[in-house]
Amino acid sequence: MVANMSRFGSLQVLPRRLLRHSGHLRAGLQGARTTINRSYATASDQRPSESTQPKFDNRVKIVEVGPRDGLQNEKKLVPLATKIELIERLAKTGLQAIEAGAFVSPKWVPQMANSSEILEHLLKTPPPSPVPLTFSFLAPNTKGLDSALSLLAQYPKAFETETARSGKSAQEGGKPALEIAVFAAATESFSQKNLNCSIDTSLQRFKDVIQQAKSANLRVRAYISVVLGCPFEGYDVDPHRVATIATTLLEMGADEISLGDTTGMGTAPRTKVLLDCLSSAGIRNEDLAMHFHDTYGQALVNTAVALEHGIRTFDSSVGGLGGCPYSPGATGNVATENVVYFMESLGMDTGVDLDRVADIGDWITREIGKANDSVVGKAVLGARKRERKEDVDDAEAPMT
């Protein structure tokens, strides 16, 4: 396996200690080892066949944040049609959850000004998808939530609620589910910069948002930013403070906490300390998701630590798009292509079509004039190009 993984050396990040001590990951690696000894001419070759899938629960959920978190920091406004096309393309890949927009002040985040149009389009014309799909919209205050709920009230039969999920994909006649998201911060400095209020004040505001969303029978996701490093306070973010905030949000009714390494400062040891602290506070793995940025190239290392800990939900952004307008120097989210490849190489099942995601990453980065920051996406496209060239050369070779 190591010999084959070296073809993409930057992904060879799983520490030996993790492999030695993790029964689940070891089983996944054993289940995948018999099928990884092959060419990586296409991304689909990476996934083991059904007959060799490991027996443990190897399912991983990837939350695609590209349309919201990935685009929010772009200086040049991205056309509404491009945003909608991005969401529709992503819906066809097997992703189960997509961040689609944010009901925030256009004064502070101009890129999200047309989120109402996006939500209305998704309600009127839900995109085809091979799996049941959830669209998430950020609503950091009751004003934003009211805007979202007023639209939902106009199309009450166009979406599924939390307690009435049919489990059907769009191809089976199912409707998308809607989720509301709120954002807290793990440090006072970042809370003031991002939300213009203290952590305690932000939590009180979120309480109203969460309770109203739950009253409307909607699932709620709560993000906690800068959990492993703050651009204003440095590396020493107190994991106990993160645990307290997460517990408070869960008690308010949040269904899931996404822990954001907004600055990309996170390291493997500190990720482990944070997750151990949350476990000690009684927070279940199934209530957590990890949101890593790859600023210092540590996102997949930290993903491996979280995976060993038992986390099975991870946020990522196609093409590595993203950044935070309130975090100076923070670069993009970890690329969806990188996460899918990494997970599949360990025998985990993402359900995501890597070839399609690679195509989308190439397309959207070209559309907005950004570099494609996914090493896997570029490798997949390069391998495919070489394979096609070889086919052409073989076809043009003279008969002997």
Side-chain angles (χ1 to χ4, degrees):
M1 176 177 176
V2 172
N4 284 289
M5 286 291 287
S6 65
R7 295 187 63 177
F8 297 94
S10 59
L11 297 181
Q12 199 172 336
V13 297
L14 193 65
R16 291 182 179 179
R17 182 181 62 80
L18 295 181
L19 299 181
R20 187 166 63 249
H21 292 294
S22 173
H24 282 322
L25 290 185
R26 186 167 59 249
L29 289 165
Q30 290 171 347
R33 188 172 290 121
T34 58
T35 60
I36 292 179
N37 293 323
R38 63 175 74 177
S39 168
Y40 289 122
T42 63
S44 58
D45 288 338
Q46 179 58 24
R47 178 172 296 172
S49 64
E50 291 295 327
S51 62
T52 59
Q53 286 284 355
K55 299 301 182 183
F56 70 94
D57 185 0
N58 64 334
R59 292 167 295 180
V60 175
K61 178 181 177 182
I62 295 179
V63 178
E64 172 59 53
V65 303
R68 201 279 304 175
D69 194 13
L71 297 180
Q72 70 173 0
N73 205 31
E74 291 299 313
K75 299 294 186 258
K76 182 179 178 181
L77 289 179
V78 179
L80 175 61
T82 300
K83 294 179 182 177
I84 290 174
E85 184 175 354
L86 173 60
I87 294 169
E88 291 178 337
R89 289 190 182 210
L90 290 167
K92 297 176 182 178
T93 65
L95 288 161
Q96 301 175 51
I98 300 173
E99 257 196 355
F103 288 88
V104 294
S105 170
K107 175 183 177 182
W108 300 113
V109 191
Q111 200 66 253
M112 295 292 105
N114 48 19
S115 290
S116 293
E117 291 100 314
I118 292 174
L119 176 54
E120 186 168 23
H121 177 86
L122 295 175
L123 293 170
K124 293 171 65 175
T125 315
S129 62
V131 295
L133 191 57
T134 297
F135 292 116
S136 179
F137 284 83
L138 176 66
N141 50 47
T142 53
K143 181 179 179 180
L145 179 62
D146 289 342
S147 297
L149 293 179
S150 64
L151 264 176
L152 296 181
Q154 297 177 38
Y155 304 94
K157 296 182 179 180
F159 64 97
E160 295 186 347
T161 59
E162 183 182 15
T163 57
R165 293 299 302 266
S166 68
K168 293 181 178 180
S169 67
Q171 296 173 358
E172 298 169 321
K175 297 173 288 187
L178 270 297
E179 175 183 79
I180 296 299
V182 296
F183 262 85
T187 68
E188 291 293 348
S189 297
F190 196 81
S191 184
Q192 290 289 348
K193 292 287 186 179
N194 194 17
L195 299 169
N196 199 32
C197 65
S198 68
I199 293 174
D200 288 342
T201 300
S202 72
L203 291 175
Q204 285 303 311
R205 293 176 182 174
F206 296 150
K207 183 177 181 179
D208 293 335
V209 175
I210 292 170
Q211 292 181 347
Q212 288 185 38
K214 300 303 288 185
S215 296
N217 206 5
L218 297 176
R219 190 173 187 271
V220 176
R221 186 175 220 237
Y223 293 86
I224 305 178
S225 300
V226 297
V227 299
L228 290 168
C230 173
F232 311 107
E233 298 186 23
Y235 286 90
D236 295 327
V237 177
D238 185 0
H240 298 283
R241 186 66 175 279
V242 177
T244 299
I245 296 169
T247 301
T248 301
L249 289 165
L250 289 169
E251 289 174 347
M252 288 177 179
D255 297 282
E256 182 177 74
I257 306 296
S258 178
L259 301 171
D261 182 18
T262 313
T263 60
M265 291 180 179
T267 61
R270 289 168 54 244
T271 298
K272 182 180 185 302
V273 168
L274 173 63
L275 292 174
D276 286 345
C277 183
L278 291 166
S279 293
S280 297
I283 298 174
R284 306 179 306 168
N285 287 330
E286 51 264 46
D287 294 331
L288 295 175
M290 302 307 297
H291 182 111
F292 292 118
H293 283 228
D294 208 24
T295 312
Y296 295 96
Q298 299 302 297
L300 292 183
V301 178
N302 298 333
T303 295
V305 173
L307 196 63
E308 182 192 34
H309 189 87
I311 306 299
R312 291 295 181 267
T313 302
F314 296 86
D315 299 356
S316 61
S317 179
V318 65
L321 293 177
C324 178
Y326 302 101
S327 179
T331 53
N333 299 281
V334 62
T336 302
E337 301 93 312
N338 295 7
V339 174
V340 171
Y341 182 94
F342 182 63
M343 293 293 185
E344 298 284 351
S345 74
L346 296 177
M348 307 305 289
D349 180 16
T350 66
V352 177
D353 187 329
L354 178 53
D355 286 288
R356 282 195 171 192
V357 176
D359 287 334
I360 296 168
D362 179 60
W363 167 76
I364 188 59
T365 51
R366 290 175 184 270
E367 282 287 312
I368 65 175
K370 297 278 287 189
N372 186 347
D373 286 336
S374 171
V375 293
V376 167
K378 291 185 287 188
V380 167
L381 295 169
R384 191 188 301 164
K385 185 177 181 180
R386 289 192 299 272
E387 187 177 65
R388 289 172 179 168
K389 184 177 185 303
E390 290 171 1
D391 289 342
V392 171
D393 290 343
D394 289 343
E396 293 178 350
M399 298 290 291
T400 57

